Amino acid sequence: MVLTLHHLGISQSERIVWLLEELGIEYKLVKYVRDPVLAPESLKSIPGNATGKAPFLEDLDAGITLSESGAICEYIMAKYAGKDDGIKLNKKFAEEGYVDYIYWFHWVNAGLQPAMLGSMFFDLSPLPEDDQTKAWTNGRLHAALRHIDERLRDSKWLAGDDFTAADIMVVYSLTTQRYYGPLVGYEKFPNIVRFLKDAGEREAYRSAMEKGDPEMTLLIGAEAPKQSILAAGGVGSDIWKK
Ligand SMILES: N[C@@H](CCC(=O)N[C@@H](CS)C(=O)NCC(=O)O)C(=O)O
């Protein structure tokens, strides 16, 4: 039996659809629509989905279910990637780019994504623009964006010349995440813009987005969205649609 990926529209689970498309692995995609922001009951109630969130993976032959996009990437790559000299999207210990690979792969959900979420929540709060905690939070976001922009000034992909799962992990946080906030543009970050263009031109990215979120306008450019899905009341609004 093939892997089953439970994918919530306009969410971090796009990372796993993309990974599977890059690796050319056969899989079953089960899609869910937000209700109207959080996960619907049908996703939360799948046996084994303790967090109720997406992505959620089932490898029924192996008796395994798994949450967390980073862990799911690692699992799929450990099981399938690079077998018989096939496509490999990670770096092994002592291989060139290994340290950069593990650093950026983990930094995404430990550094960038929390910084994006912090600013997302502050943008929704009624605090005045000159509030000190808001300024700290936005400072943290801009420091994170500067950090990745500087890395991408010197390197085509995050781990070096080779495209890896670290790039897949980062792209959601820089693109689709902005539909919820922060409404940040990348005009001051030319290397992020170049990176997103390169990522967005990958065939597997295009087919993943077409399969997972065919109605969504991709936020792969520098421009910030005008309004957040949260401010618009959820996915029933059409601000994210093509
Ligand atoms: N750290 C987790 C985050 C998972 C997560 O927050 N998923 C969101 C979609 S982006 C979700 O399922 N939200 C629905 C909800 O919270 O009810 C990962 O990387 O997979």
Side-chain angles (χ1 to χ4, degrees):
M1 198 181 291
V2 297
L3 296 176
T4 301
L5 175 64
H6 296 272
H7 168 61
L8 181 63
I10 326 172
S11 91
Q12 296 182 51
S13 45
E14 70 173 40
R15 292 166 166 166
I16 313 302
V17 189
W18 185 11
L19 180 86
L20 290 161
E21 290 291 318
E22 289 280 353
L23 292 173
I25 296 170
E26 202 189 332
Y27 62 102
K28 181 177 164 200
L29 186 65
V30 185
K31 300 205 281 185
Y32 301 82
V33 177
R34 290 174 182 266
D35 182 23
V37 170
L38 298 179
E41 198 49 46
S42 51
L43 173 60
K44 290 194 280 195
S45 60
I46 304 170
N49 190 7
T51 65
K53 294 182 187 292
F56 180 65
L57 185 80
E58 290 179 301
D59 184 354
L60 294 177
D61 285 343
I64 280 166
T65 60
L66 195 57
S67 298
E68 277 298 324
S69 46
I72 294 173
C73 283
E74 299 250 31
Y75 177 80
I76 293 172
M77 291 188 293
K79 185 160 179 179
Y80 298 98
K83 297 282 181 309
D84 305 321
D85 288 333
I87 299 164
K88 182 168 136 325
L89 291 173
N90 54 2
K91 295 278 176 190
K92 301 286 184 217
F93 180 70
E95 196 180 335
E96 197 180 336
Y98 168 73
V99 173
D100 287 319
Y101 170 72
I102 55 169
Y103 174 72
W104 292 105
F105 185 90
H106 290 281
W107 176 80
V108 183
N109 269 5
L112 178 60
Q113 186 64 15
M116 295 294 275
L117 293 177
S119 289
M120 174 187 89
F121 286 121
F122 270 98
D123 283 355
L124 291 169
S125 82
L127 289 169
E129 272 316 305
D130 61 356
D131 177 80
Q132 182 63 67
T133 53
K134 199 167 186 173
W136 283 329
T137 306
N138 283 332
R140 193 169 74 134
L141 173 65
H142 283 88
L145 294 174
R146 224 175 12 256
H147 183 44
I148 191 165
D149 192 67
E150 281 168 10
R151 169 61 183 163
L152 293 167
R153 182 187 55 210
D154 303 328
S155 186
K156 179 170 170 61
W157 301 110
L158 289 167
D161 293 339
D162 298 331
F163 176 81
T164 66
D167 303 301
I168 291 179
M169 288 290 288
V170 158
V171 167
Y172 165 82
S173 299
L174 292 174
T175 59
T176 309
Q177 172 59 47
R178 293 187 293 168
Y179 270 127
Y180 302 97
L183 302 179
V184 64
Y186 300 134
E187 292 77 8
K188 291 188 185 139
F189 302 106
N191 307 296
I192 290 179
V193 178
R194 189 273 307 157
F195 166 77
L196 291 180
K197 181 170 179 299
D198 290 347
E201 285 170 356
R202 293 183 75 84
E203 209 180 307
Y205 177 77
R206 292 274 155 190
S207 60
M209 296 304 130
E210 209 35 56
K211 286 182 186 173
D213 290 277
E215 289 183 282
M216 179 172 75
T217 301
L218 303 179
L219 288 180
I220 205 78
E223 204 183 329
K226 307 258 176 305
Q227 193 187 5
S228 87
I229 286 175
L230 301 182
V235 295
S237 112
D238 59 8
I239 61 156
W240 54 278
K241 290 188 180 158
K242 281 176 182 162

